[in-house]
Amino acid sequence: MPDKAPTEQATVLQAEQLSIGYKSRKKTTVIASDISFTARKGELIAIVGANGMGKTTLLRTLARILPGISGELYLHQKPLKTYSATALAREIALVLTGHHPSGNLTVNEVVALGRHPYTNWTGTINPKDQDKVDEAKKLLGIEKLGAEKCHILSDGQLQKVMIARAIAQDTALIILDEPTTHLDVYHKTHILKLLRTLAHKTGKSIVFSSHEIEHCIQLCDKILLMHRDGSDFGGPKSLIQNGTFNRLFPEDLIAFDPKTASFRIVE
């Protein structure tokens, strides 16, 4: 069970007292506030919490799809809001649940889309781009699927293709929203172990949301736990020792057992 990544690893993303939600001309809706955490190079970080706690909203804010309500976000020690769209695309890769490319595209074509921030207006990839595409497919073990159309792939295979596209984008930070949705227990475990290997092997910072809390406890370097009273961030062991996981659900229904690092139904 991971707990603390090496302190010498460079900081990639930092949130300081961040509030997230939605703004309109007439109203500002705050979903979660006072969120602070740091994502370092080579770390796998999970964002967990019950439904409605703002996990997806937070990810969209980190990727600058949504503006923050208040607080600060820094990418490589520089305010996130100061990056141009092109510069941001070379630093952050985003994989959203359900946002899959046309099924008529091949695996090779989809993974190559990750090189779009580096190509000219024609979208033509050069030998260096192709090397990045081939490397990403190899890391995900999908080289043999290259010529296959995406519509014939299983959910697990398609998820690997989307992660490969993000790897091919060659960014310092990869953000994924519920990467194990619709997968069985075996494939959930496989994808999360793969993400951990990728983070540690490539040095990229990978941040993802998940409902697979027990998997995250076993596999992640850090966890951001969002609950009704706020949020807590740290290594799995320290969060368990602090009793943090008991804040996730009503205690009259589900309890967390620190000895087994798992949840149980209250009789």
Side-chain angles (χ1 to χ4, degrees):
M1 184 188 304
D3 195 316
K4 188 175 182 181
T7 56
E8 66 270 13
Q9 294 290 72
T11 296
V12 176
L13 180 72
Q14 186 172 2
E16 293 185 355
Q17 296 182 316
L18 182 68
S19 292
I20 59 172
Y22 300 91
K23 288 183 178 181
S24 66
R25 291 183 178 181
K26 297 182 179 180
K27 185 179 180 182
T28 297
T29 302
V30 176
I31 295 178
S33 58
D34 198 24
I35 301 169
S36 297
F37 72 95
T38 299
R40 299 183 186 278
K41 183 178 179 181
E43 283 187 332
L44 179 63
I45 298 175
I47 299 174
V48 304
N51 290 339
M53 291 296 102
K55 298 186 297 295
T56 298
T57 303
L58 175 58
L59 291 184
R60 290 174 176 268
T61 305
L62 299 181
R64 216 176 68 181
I65 295 174
L66 292 173
I69 303 299
S70 63
E72 297 293 339
L73 273 174
Y74 299 95
L75 182 64
H76 301 306
Q77 313 295 329
K78 179 181 175 182
L80 186 68
K81 59 188 176 185
T82 64
Y83 282 79
S84 68
T86 299
L88 198 64
R90 295 183 178 184
E91 295 290 350
I92 299 177
L94 179 65
V95 180
L96 294 175
T97 300
H99 286 245
H100 295 145
S102 169
N104 290 324
L105 294 179
T106 67
V107 168
N108 286 332
E109 290 168 335
V110 171
V111 178
L113 289 174
R115 300 306 298 165
H116 180 71
Y118 308 93
T119 60
N120 57 30
W121 64 274
T122 65
T124 304
I125 64 174
N126 60 34
K128 179 181 177 181
D129 295 319
Q130 188 61 54
D131 287 343
K132 292 291 184 181
V133 170
D134 293 341
E135 180 183 357
K137 289 190 297 180
K138 184 177 180 180
L139 283 170
L140 273 296
I142 57 172
E143 307 101 304
K144 294 182 179 180
L145 297 176
E148 301 288 351
K149 297 285 188 178
C150 285
H151 69 81
I152 72 167
L153 302 180
S154 68
D155 288 338
Q157 289 173 327
L158 186 57
Q159 193 64 342
K160 285 185 178 182
V161 172
M162 300 307 294
I163 295 172
R165 185 185 72 172
I167 292 290
Q169 196 170 330
D170 196 22
T171 58
L173 176 65
I174 298 176
I175 297 174
L176 306 101
D177 186 18
E178 296 283 356
T180 58
T181 298
H182 307 310
L183 301 182
D184 59 32
V185 173
Y186 173 83
H187 288 93
K188 288 178 191 290
T189 305
H190 179 69
I191 289 293
L192 293 181
K193 287 187 71 174
L194 182 61
L195 290 177
R196 182 179 67 174
T197 299
L198 289 172
H200 294 176
K201 185 175 181 178
T202 66
K204 298 181 185 300
S205 179
I206 300 180
V207 179
F208 70 100
S209 62
S210 180
H211 284 100
E212 311 304 324
I213 301 171
E214 293 173 13
H215 281 68
C216 293
I217 290 173
Q218 296 183 63
L219 295 170
C220 292
D221 298 298
K222 300 283 179 61
I223 295 175
L224 176 67
L225 192 149
M226 302 178 71
H227 49 81
R228 296 189 183 280
D229 298 321
S231 63
D232 293 277
F233 178 69
K237 288 183 180 179
S238 62
L239 293 177
I240 290 173
Q241 291 170 355
N242 293 335
T244 307
F245 290 101
N246 288 318
R247 301 179 184 180
L248 276 175
F249 305 109
E251 295 182 358
D252 62 338
L253 183 61
I254 300 175
F256 183 78
D257 184 348
K259 294 181 179 180
T260 61
S262 62
F263 290 92
R264 61 178 177 81
I265 298 173
V266 176
E267 299 293 343

